[in-house]
Structure formats: structure tokens, C-alpha cells
Amino acid sequence: MVKCIKNSGYLKQNQCPLKGSNPFGTVLTKAFELIRAFIMQLVRSVAHSMTRDERSLCVPPSSTFAEHFQRGNLKTKAPLREFTGFFPPSGRSEGYAPSFFSLYTIPRALMAMSDTLLKKYQIAALPENVLRLGQLIQGAFATNAHEIAKIIKADPAISDRVMKIATRGRDIDMDIDSAVVRIGVDKITLVVMSELLLHAVKRTFATMLSIALEPTETINPYGDQMVGCIHFKGKATGRVFLRIPCKAANSFATRFLGKDLPAEPAELFPEIVGELLNIVGGNFKSNLVDAGLPCSLSVPKVETKTGFAVDLSGDEHHLSVPFTADAMGMFLDLIISPVTDSAAN
Amino acid sequence: MSKKILTIDDSKMVRMIVTSTFQPFDCTIVGAADGAEGVTVALQEKPDLIFLDITMPVLNGIETLAKIRETPEIAAIPVVMLTAESDGERLGMADKLKVSGYIAKPFKGDQLIALTKKIIPLAPKPPADPKKP
């Protein structure tokens, strides 16, 4: 960004236009230098708080880059956000008018565009972890463990899960920074994604089935289960499994359909699991898109199984999250391929 | 006057919930399991309102909505998206195609009724005529 600022007309000349041509030149030059230093400091602090994607898009107002962006010639569809408040509006950058430069950035986690529409259609605000995932995937590959730790520390549930994975559940004294180094960015991405998924399952079960879901540590093995699977593919690629014991069939059908139950409600169980997974998958996919990982979603596939095993390819990561709902143990499984630096950009 | 509502969703469960939700009202619910079938049913039935899912086989919801908007006979029918996908990209596309509402799944029947009442008048179902067989 500093490079962009240096390229702007104002900083190239780096001197006050009034110097030498005005009786108050010296005073004005001093004031000019002070203002310049102040703005540079401000810009540095703004740049420091931005993700790598945002930094790369800071441009001076007269730049053709901005024009290209506004015409939609760049890859991202996210609109530009102008940093105003700190700086006067652009458009007067010629000469030495008060507008020295403007900054344009992609909104954090690409959320600015949807914010207006979320309000217009009265849709619930995005979960905080969408922002964290956005920060993680857009910054993690070029940043250090301390910065990643700062992102995940903001959510106690994520910190807790990261610590459990890093210590393998043993009572070891370890701080988050060390845990980040130990488990690596792929697994951290998996943990943040699994929290988004769990959030979607909680909302779906609460709204569609009026069941409060409780995460748990372990679940005793049970018999037949209905296993739903949905795939997502794109900048994020992976699979989500939802495993519900078959003994939940009648209860789920009653809760899902209320008084309009068919004669054999249990026959609808595969459809119910499919629709629950469809909703969970759709919510999760939307979170990924809003975090900057566009992908497409498959239609859910549901089948009855007695056991459960997944084939993992070499670079895939798997996280299994047990939970209880309606006094029954269930599982949510997330499998992802690593989100690479090129995928994130 | 009785209203007609079309629900285009590949999930039988969602179609059942929509039907059940509007049972107390003087309206008929027709269903379609994918976008292509939805456009055909809309042309035949000329519904007063369409509920439309996005993730569907054959034609997805956004493609279906575009098809509806470019078909003069059904272009003006109000459409409410009823979908699990509510990211900025999907919302933006639906907004451009002039949807009348957007309900993000998971949803409650009350949400459907409240939004429908804002778009079309809904009257309670008249009592059954005892003389009719």
C-alpha cells in the first residue's frame, strides 16, 4: 500500500507548492510536513489492520486500477469500499487540493455487499466466524502463528478445540501460539469451518425440529444410522456427513411435520435427514462464499449404515464433532482438502 | 377469492411443510420438484405467488427465476426465494431479478405466512359446505 501511496501524485513531488512563493511558506511547509506524517501514520495503522487481500487493493484515486475495478475487470465481484473519514473524498487529487489520496479496499470477508441485502430481506446477520475464516484464509499463508492465534483466540469454542487437537486431549501446559504451530493452518481452517457447520446444525435443529443441540465429548456406539452426505467443490472442497441414529425416525418426523403426519412417518426419515443436511450444507456453503471461498454444493445423498468409515485422500483433513439432540448421540463430520494460497486468492 | 401458490423445491418435505402451513387459508398449493417443471406448472396454473428454492436439479433457482422473468405470461408473478443459500452473491442475483422476498432456511411456517400477507391478501379458509358430498 505504501508503494501505491508513494506513486500517487501528491507524494511523488513531496513538497509544498506554496514553498518559496508565499510569505508564510516556511510555516505552511512545516504544517504540510506534519499533516503528511500524520496521514502516513494513519495509513500505516489502517494497512496493518487489513488482510493481505485488502492491502493489495489499496490504490490512489487516479489509478487505472480503480477504474478497472469499478468496471468489473478484476476477478473479484466484491465492490470497492472507499476509506472515508480519514481522508477527504477523491476527485480533487490534481495539484495540491486537500484530497491527497484515497484508499479502496475489498470489504472484510466480502461482507459489505450482503450487509445491505441482509437488512433489506431481514435475513440474520452472518456468524462472527465467517469473518474469522475470511481473515484466516486471506491472511494466514503470509502471516505468523501469533497473528493466526489472535484470530482464533476471539472465539473460545475454536480456541478450546484447537487446544484439544494440539494436546490430543492430554493435560499439557500449552499456549495458543504453540498450539497453532503444532497443528498447522490446515487443521485450524478445518476447526473454524467445523464451528460454522455446527452453528448451522444448531440453528437448523432448533428451527425445524425444536431441538436444542448440545456438543459432547464422546458418544457410545449405536446401531443403524441414517448417514447423509453432501459435497462442496470450488475454492473450498470437501464433504459433510450428518449421522443420525435410525431410532430417531419417528420423533424427527413428528417434529418436522407436526400434525400432518403420514401413516408411516418413519418412511420419511431419509427425506428428513436429506433436507436437514441440505439446509445445513446451504448455510455452510453461503458462509464459505461470504468468507471468500466460492464453491458449489451437491444434492444430498442419504443411506442407512451400521458402521461409519471415510476414505481420506492423502492431503484431506477430517474432523468429527459428536453432539446430542433429543437425548440421542449424533455426529457431524467435516472433511476438507487444504485451502491453498492460490485458492484463497 | 382463493389464491394459488406454487412451491418449487426438490425437497418433498419442504413442499409438505408449505402445504401444511397454508392449510388454514383460502388458497391452493401446487408443487414442482425442479426448476424446469416449475416454469411449466407456472405457465399452466398462473399462480399468485411462487416460493422458489435455489439448489435444485435440472434448473437451479436463479436460472428458473431468470426464465420466469423472461416469459411474458408469468414475468409479473411475485417470487419469494425459500432457500438455505443466503450469501451475498445469491442475494445479489435474486435482488437483480426483482424477488419480492427472501426467506433463508431454516424457516418457520409463521415466516411464510407473514411475508405472503405482505404480497398477496390471504383470507381464512371458508367453512366446509355441509351439503356438498
CSV table of all heavy atoms in Angstrom, one decimal, chain A residues 275-302:
chain,number,residue,atom,x,y,z
A,275,GLU,N,-33.1,-33.3,3.9
A,275,GLU,CA,-33.5,-31.9,3.9
A,275,GLU,C,-32.7,-31.1,5.0
A,275,GLU,O,-32.2,-30.0,4.8
A,275,GLU,CB,-35.0,-31.7,4.1
A,275,GLU,CG,-35.5,-30.3,4.1
A,275,GLU,CD,-35.0,-29.4,2.9
A,275,GLU,OE1,-34.7,-30.0,1.8
A,275,GLU,OE2,-34.9,-28.2,3.0
A,276,LEU,N,-32.5,-31.8,6.2
A,276,LEU,CA,-31.7,-31.2,7.2
A,276,LEU,C,-30.3,-30.9,6.7
A,276,LEU,O,-29.7,-29.8,6.9
A,276,LEU,CB,-31.7,-32.1,8.5
A,276,LEU,CG,-33.0,-32.2,9.3
A,276,LEU,CD1,-32.8,-33.3,10.4
A,276,LEU,CD2,-33.4,-30.9,9.9
A,277,LEU,N,-29.7,-31.9,6.1
A,277,LEU,CA,-28.4,-31.7,5.5
A,277,LEU,C,-28.3,-30.7,4.4
A,277,LEU,O,-27.3,-29.9,4.3
A,277,LEU,CB,-27.8,-33.1,5.1
A,277,LEU,CG,-26.4,-33.1,4.7
A,277,LEU,CD1,-25.5,-32.8,5.9
A,277,LEU,CD2,-26.0,-34.5,4.2
A,278,ASN,N,-29.4,-30.6,3.6
A,278,ASN,CA,-29.5,-29.7,2.6
A,278,ASN,C,-29.4,-28.2,3.1
A,278,ASN,O,-28.7,-27.4,2.6
A,278,ASN,CB,-30.8,-29.9,1.8
A,278,ASN,CG,-30.8,-29.2,0.5
A,278,ASN,OD1,-29.8,-29.0,-0.2
A,278,ASN,ND2,-32.0,-28.7,0.1
A,279,ILE,N,-30.2,-28.0,4.2
A,279,ILE,CA,-30.2,-26.7,4.9
A,279,ILE,C,-28.8,-26.4,5.5
A,279,ILE,O,-28.3,-25.3,5.3
A,279,ILE,CB,-31.3,-26.7,5.9
A,279,ILE,CG1,-32.7,-26.8,5.3
A,279,ILE,CG2,-31.3,-25.3,6.7
A,279,ILE,CD1,-33.9,-26.9,6.2
A,280,VAL,N,-28.3,-27.4,6.2
A,280,VAL,CA,-27.0,-27.2,6.9
A,280,VAL,C,-25.9,-26.9,5.8
A,280,VAL,O,-25.2,-25.9,5.9
A,280,VAL,CB,-26.6,-28.4,7.7
A,280,VAL,CG1,-25.2,-28.4,8.2
A,280,VAL,CG2,-27.5,-28.6,8.9
A,281,GLY,N,-25.9,-27.7,4.8
A,281,GLY,CA,-24.9,-27.5,3.7
A,281,GLY,C,-25.1,-26.2,3.0
A,281,GLY,O,-24.1,-25.5,2.7
A,282,GLY,N,-26.3,-25.8,2.8
A,282,GLY,CA,-26.6,-24.5,2.1
A,282,GLY,C,-26.1,-23.3,2.9
A,282,GLY,O,-25.5,-22.4,2.4
A,283,ASN,N,-26.4,-23.4,4.3
A,283,ASN,CA,-25.9,-22.3,5.2
A,283,ASN,C,-24.4,-22.3,5.2
A,283,ASN,O,-23.8,-21.2,5.1
A,283,ASN,CB,-26.4,-22.6,6.6
A,283,ASN,CG,-27.9,-22.3,6.8
A,283,ASN,OD1,-28.4,-22.2,7.9
A,283,ASN,ND2,-28.6,-22.1,5.7
A,284,PHE,N,-23.8,-23.5,5.3
A,284,PHE,CA,-22.3,-23.6,5.4
A,284,PHE,C,-21.7,-23.1,4.1
A,284,PHE,O,-20.7,-22.3,4.1
A,284,PHE,CB,-21.9,-25.1,5.6
A,284,PHE,CG,-20.5,-25.3,5.7
A,284,PHE,CD1,-19.7,-24.7,6.6
A,284,PHE,CD2,-19.9,-26.2,4.8
A,284,PHE,CE1,-18.3,-24.9,6.7
A,284,PHE,CE2,-18.5,-26.5,4.9
A,284,PHE,CZ,-17.7,-25.8,5.8
A,285,LYS,N,-22.3,-23.5,3.0
A,285,LYS,CA,-21.7,-23.0,1.7
A,285,LYS,C,-21.8,-21.5,1.5
A,285,LYS,O,-20.9,-20.8,1.1
A,285,LYS,CB,-22.5,-23.7,0.5
A,285,LYS,CG,-22.1,-23.3,-0.9
A,285,LYS,CD,-23.2,-22.6,-1.6
A,285,LYS,CE,-22.7,-22.0,-2.9
A,285,LYS,NZ,-23.6,-21.1,-3.5
A,286,SER,N,-22.9,-20.9,2.0
A,286,SER,CA,-23.1,-19.5,2.0
A,286,SER,C,-22.0,-18.8,2.8
A,286,SER,O,-21.5,-17.8,2.5
A,286,SER,CB,-24.5,-19.0,2.5
A,286,SER,OG,-25.4,-19.5,1.6
A,287,ASN,N,-21.7,-19.4,4.0
A,287,ASN,CA,-20.7,-18.9,4.9
A,287,ASN,C,-19.3,-18.9,4.2
A,287,ASN,O,-18.5,-17.9,4.3
A,287,ASN,CB,-20.6,-19.7,6.2
A,287,ASN,CG,-21.8,-19.5,7.1
A,287,ASN,OD1,-22.0,-20.3,8.0
A,287,ASN,ND2,-22.5,-18.4,6.9
A,288,LEU,N,-19.0,-20.0,3.5
A,288,LEU,CA,-17.8,-20.1,2.7
A,288,LEU,C,-17.7,-19.0,1.7
A,288,LEU,O,-16.6,-18.4,1.5
A,288,LEU,CB,-17.6,-21.5,2.1
A,288,LEU,CG,-17.5,-22.7,3.0
A,288,LEU,CD1,-17.4,-24.0,2.2
A,288,LEU,CD2,-16.3,-22.6,4.0
A,289,VAL,N,-18.8,-18.8,0.9
A,289,VAL,CA,-18.8,-17.8,-0.1
A,289,VAL,C,-18.5,-16.4,0.5
A,289,VAL,O,-17.7,-15.7,0.0
A,289,VAL,CB,-20.1,-17.8,-0.9
A,289,VAL,CG1,-20.2,-16.7,-1.9
A,289,VAL,CG2,-20.3,-19.2,-1.6
A,290,ASP,N,-19.2,-16.1,1.6
A,290,ASP,CA,-19.1,-14.8,2.2
A,290,ASP,C,-17.7,-14.6,2.8
A,290,ASP,O,-17.2,-13.5,3.0
A,290,ASP,CB,-20.1,-14.6,3.3
A,290,ASP,CG,-21.5,-14.3,2.7
A,290,ASP,OD1,-21.5,-13.6,1.7
A,290,ASP,OD2,-22.5,-14.7,3.2
A,291,ALA,N,-17.0,-15.8,3.1
A,291,ALA,CA,-15.6,-15.6,3.6
A,291,ALA,C,-14.6,-15.6,2.5
A,291,ALA,O,-13.4,-15.4,2.8
A,291,ALA,CB,-15.3,-16.9,4.5
A,292,GLY,N,-15.1,-15.6,1.3
A,292,GLY,CA,-14.2,-15.5,0.1
A,292,GLY,C,-13.8,-16.8,-0.5
A,292,GLY,O,-12.7,-16.9,-1.2
A,293,LEU,N,-14.6,-17.9,-0.2
A,293,LEU,CA,-14.3,-19.2,-0.8
A,293,LEU,C,-15.5,-19.7,-1.6
A,293,LEU,O,-16.2,-20.6,-1.2
A,293,LEU,CB,-14.0,-20.2,0.3
A,293,LEU,CG,-12.7,-20.0,1.1
A,293,LEU,CD1,-12.6,-21.0,2.3
A,293,LEU,CD2,-11.5,-20.3,0.2
A,294,PRO,N,-15.7,-19.1,-2.8
A,294,PRO,CA,-16.8,-19.6,-3.6
A,294,PRO,C,-16.8,-21.0,-4.0
A,294,PRO,O,-15.7,-21.6,-4.3
A,294,PRO,CB,-16.8,-18.7,-4.9
A,294,PRO,CG,-15.4,-18.1,-4.9
A,294,PRO,CD,-14.9,-18.1,-3.5
A,295,CYS,N,-17.9,-21.7,-3.8
A,295,CYS,CA,-18.0,-23.1,-4.2
A,295,CYS,C,-19.4,-23.5,-4.5
A,295,CYS,O,-20.3,-22.8,-4.3
A,295,CYS,CB,-17.4,-24.0,-3.0
A,295,CYS,SG,-18.2,-23.6,-1.4
A,296,SER,N,-19.5,-24.7,-5.1
A,296,SER,CA,-20.9,-25.2,-5.4
A,296,SER,C,-21.2,-26.4,-4.5
A,296,SER,O,-20.3,-27.0,-3.9
A,296,SER,CB,-21.0,-25.6,-6.9
A,296,SER,OG,-20.0,-26.6,-7.1
A,297,LEU,N,-22.5,-26.7,-4.4
A,297,LEU,CA,-22.9,-27.7,-3.4
A,297,LEU,C,-23.6,-28.8,-4.2
A,297,LEU,O,-24.4,-28.6,-5.1
A,297,LEU,CB,-23.9,-27.0,-2.5
A,297,LEU,CG,-24.2,-27.7,-1.1
A,297,LEU,CD1,-22.9,-27.7,-0.3
A,297,LEU,CD2,-25.3,-26.9,-0.4
A,298,SER,N,-23.4,-30.1,-3.8
A,298,SER,CA,-24.1,-31.2,-4.4
A,298,SER,C,-25.5,-31.4,-3.8
A,298,SER,O,-25.8,-30.8,-2.7
A,298,SER,CB,-23.3,-32.5,-4.3
A,298,SER,OG,-23.4,-33.0,-3.0
A,299,VAL,N,-26.3,-32.3,-4.4
A,299,VAL,CA,-27.5,-32.7,-3.8
A,299,VAL,C,-27.2,-33.7,-2.7
A,299,VAL,O,-26.3,-34.5,-2.9
A,299,VAL,CB,-28.5,-33.2,-4.9
A,299,VAL,CG1,-29.7,-33.8,-4.3
A,299,VAL,CG2,-28.8,-32.2,-5.9
A,300,PRO,N,-27.9,-33.7,-1.5
A,300,PRO,CA,-27.5,-34.7,-0.5
A,300,PRO,C,-27.8,-36.1,-0.9
A,300,PRO,O,-28.8,-36.4,-1.6
A,300,PRO,CB,-28.4,-34.2,0.7
A,300,PRO,CG,-29.1,-33.0,0.3
A,300,PRO,CD,-28.9,-32.8,-1.1
A,301,LYS,N,-27.0,-37.0,-0.4
A,301,LYS,CA,-27.2,-38.4,-0.7
A,301,LYS,C,-27.4,-39.1,0.7
A,301,LYS,O,-26.6,-38.8,1.6
A,301,LYS,CB,-26.0,-39.0,-1.4
A,301,LYS,CG,-26.1,-40.4,-1.9
A,301,LYS,CD,-24.9,-40.8,-2.6
A,301,LYS,CE,-24.8,-42.3,-2.7
A,301,LYS,NZ,-23.5,-42.8,-3.0
A,302,VAL,N,-28.4,-39.8,0.9
A,302,VAL,CA,-28.7,-40.4,2.2
A,302,VAL,C,-28.8,-41.9,2.1
A,302,VAL,O,-29.4,-42.5,1.2
A,302,VAL,CB,-30.0,-39.8,2.8
A,302,VAL,CG1,-30.3,-40.4,4.1
A,302,VAL,CG2,-30.0,-38.3,2.8
